[in-house]
Amino acid sequence: MITKYGVWVVVAAAGLMLASCGNSPTRTDANKKLAVGVLQSVGLGPKAPPAPSEAQQIAGAMVEKTGDLRMVRIPQRDVAAAIYPVQRNQGVRLWASADQRGFYFRDGMLVATRGLGGDLMQAEVRQSLAHVTSRRSGRALRVHRYLTGDNQPDLRRVNCRITPMGQEAVRYAAMSAQTVKMRETCEGGETRFENVYWVSASGKIVRSVQWQGDMGGMIEFIDIRN
Amino acid sequence: MFAQRRAIAAKWLPEVETLLSGLSKLLSGTCALVLCTAAVPQAETLTTTSFNMYGLPSGLIDMPTAEMAPDAQFTSTISHFADSTRVTLSFQIAPRLTGSFRYSAVEGLQIPGYTLSSYYDRSFDLRYQFLDEGTYRPAMAVGLRDFIGTGLYGSEYLVATKSLGDKWRVTGGVGWGRLGSANSFASSGTRPTGYLGTGGLPSLDKFFRGDMAAFGGVTYQHSDKLRLKMEYSSDAYTQEVGDGLFTRDGALNFGAEYQFAQGAQLGLYAMHGGNLAAMVSFSTNPKTAPVPGSADVAPLAVLPRGKSARDLGWSTQPQAVGQTVANLKTLVEFEGLTLESYKLTGTSVRLVVRNPRFEAGAQLLGRVARGATRALPASVETITVVQTSHGVPLSSASFKRSDLERYEYAPAEVMYDRMVLTDGADALEGTVAMTDAYPRFEWALTPYVSMSMFDPQSPVRADGGLKLSGDWHIAPGWVASGDITAKLAGNRDELRPATSTGLPLVRSDFAEYSRGQDVAMPNLSLAYYGRLGEDLYSRVTTGYLERGFAGVSGEVLWKPVGSRLALGGEVNYVAKRAYDDAFGLQDYEVATGHGSVYYDMGEGYHVQVDAGRYLAGDWGATVAIDREFANGWSIGAYATKTNISAAQFGEGSFDKGIRFTMPLAWALGTSTRAKTSASVASLTRDGGARLRVQGRLYEQVRDAHEPELAKSWGKFWR
């Protein structure tokens, strides 16, 4: 609903803000980010570079990194990126993308994210994990922690039911495995989601679709190498 | 309006979308919130997302209801009817209390002694819901409309609203004043007339006096988007009808409202027999954010130590120490912070850090502490992070490295309980300064806009241009700073000189400073910040302190690190600056200063009282109450009363206004300490005016102290 005249006012204002310069980050950086966003919104300004395709990412990651590699897909955001393990502590393994988004797993089960917005701050998943990796049905309690828009803790407790869905072969890039597909259906308060895991005979989750939270929605993880 | 450009290339968090939803949230509402209120049964206060022509939450058109907006919702509305345009800012101060500020222009209203074609009026409203809705009982509220203005819209009401199922709501009420002016059925005493004057004082003698009339109406929520309304109005619009602004034919009003995706609303109405009216509203809620928890990249992870022996041998090898310090510096800078100095021993490290990035101090502490684990030799067990402002230590937070290792994936509260937070007065003792921390020069060239409002000739005036700022941080505590502005366009200089009130001209002549002056130097000063001891902070600033005054300003603040209470004292001796000569002074000097009490009341409410002598030599006090949010938002109101009479003060009777601050991090979704603030004040007058010196201590100091850290502690591991 911006009129033609209005567009130019917006562009002029954004241009002025973009012209902000200096070495004082608090005074100039925010101005610029705001201006870039405004310009893009009216069809001007820098365009985001096209993301590399999934195949390109796999190829690149396999050359650059040795050891474990995993692909992340967030269909809701049209994102696919390779992640690799960077640190292990207290049984939690941090996997990161090249652009510093962090995914934290306890034996393949997502327990935190960083850098996605609406991040899962921490999750208690031990009961679910025990059932899923032993490929047996059962019930479990999960606790997820988030932050509200006002930085307050937002605790979600959900009751989950884990059921095996039968055998399935998984093949992706340089990985292949015979798995049992496990379904975990969780519900509590306003929160409701359904995770799926493909678990190998050794109890390793080689592929999964897991709920991150309200913002990230369902995220798919799939191992690139065995 | 930005919707078509939303789909962009793959990104973790589409920044543009974030930004735009931030912007549109500024302009509009939060759909999450709308969904929330629709989904959650209203067990407590009865709320609505609908607004009336007066900009208050209401399912009706011109009449009030007992409904509230969702807590903390901040809404601006513009409505137009019968040559009256009303612009209203409403804030849900508490779940049961709504406050509004309104600026109205009525074209063609004949007011004695008023010569302009439009009559401009400011008014304040309050509404309190004192009774919850029950199964059979309606919610009930009491309201005051235009209770400290000139009284053009002055009225009081008692109103009840009951919901019938999900779709229907019925309202009935009784009003006084304007709301008792049509078809009144009774009277409670005599209401004093003569509403026009300087205004600005509560019209207590009018409250609930005079003719009473009944009003009511029905709201039908057809769908999530469409709402239909019908009401019986008790406002006779006596003066508007008398001056021929419209013909009032009957008491019935009808209308429909459409809710847009981002919470913006458009309403169209047929009033009093076919007169058209329209309203738009935009809401936002500081409690929700476009990106909860921010989209900052992942923090560095804790590097757990192995089980190997914790050999202290490294601490005697200068090379090993030098490498450790270089790594620490790199890791601190990786988080967008600056290491100013450090103290490294065999078992502990103290990192003195400047924070240009994180609004939440907890996030800074968590990131610096984790980064440090990646650089420190295994024997170092205590990690202390000292936050500074202008090189002055504000607080000192110590963590055990083994706690960081053990609780990295535990809830954040665990680390809060294990942190030792102390006053930072001695924190710099024995530290080694980084050679590149001081001196340093920071500069920025940015656009600026300065606005003045409520001049009847032109309600909004603005100047815009470029501002060049420079800060030379000479040594810890010492800052020399200057600003130069170049005006590119604007009309603030067209303001007429204020009529004399018998007070010295200290603020009312501000237009003189922009007349014929395209380049100005608002500030050129030298400041020293320091610590006078435990709990005590100090500041001395000298030079051209602000556009209007030059001189010396000294301040002392008492603020224990764990305290919600702070006390301050400020003394200034200043001379009025020349209008057209950047360095010249006028023949007016004054000693001015205040004693201040700051108190964080908890639950997000903050009060500040400043008492002392103002720029015109008048004595008095300013009271400010703000609702503050952990994410950096604050919305509040202030009032200043000094020992000059209301008549001497002029229109408005005393200085008062509302103010708000929005953190840019909230809108952008990535951390920055940049904020934008605005205040809507009465006409600029000479009474109750304070010196606008930069760098007052309280806001700098409290951010690093316990009450503020605790509010956003959830961000420690973010």
Side-chain angles (χ1 to χ4, degrees), chain A residues 55-125:
Chain A
Q56 283 170 328
Q57 296 224 29
I58 293 171
M62 286 178 75
V63 170
E64 276 172 35
K65 306 279 176 189
T66 55
D68 291 343
L69 276 177
R70 193 170 277 174
M71 182 56 73
V72 182
R73 291 189 188 129
I74 310 180
Q76 235 170 275
R77 297 189 191 163
D78 194 19
V79 168
I83 55 173
Y84 50 91
V86 291
Q87 188 67 58
R88 191 183 177 90
N89 183 24
Q90 302 290 320
V92 173
R93 208 164 176 201
L94 159 61
W95 296 60
S97 67
D99 61 349
Q100 293 174 53
R101 309 294 148 170
F103 299 84
Y104 303 71
F105 298 92
R106 192 179 287 284
D107 295 338
M109 206 170 264
L110 191 69
V111 293
T113 62
R114 293 291 185 271
L116 301 192
D119 280 317
L120 173 60
M121 293 306 295
Q122 190 248 343
E124 183 46 63
V125 300

Side-chain angles (χ1 to χ4, degrees), chain B residues 615-639:
Chain B
L615 280 173
D618 45 338
W619 290 82
T622 303
V623 177
I625 296 178
D626 294 276
R627 179 149 184 209
E628 299 177 333
F629 298 85
N631 57 20
W633 267 91
S634 91
I635 298 175
Y638 66 90

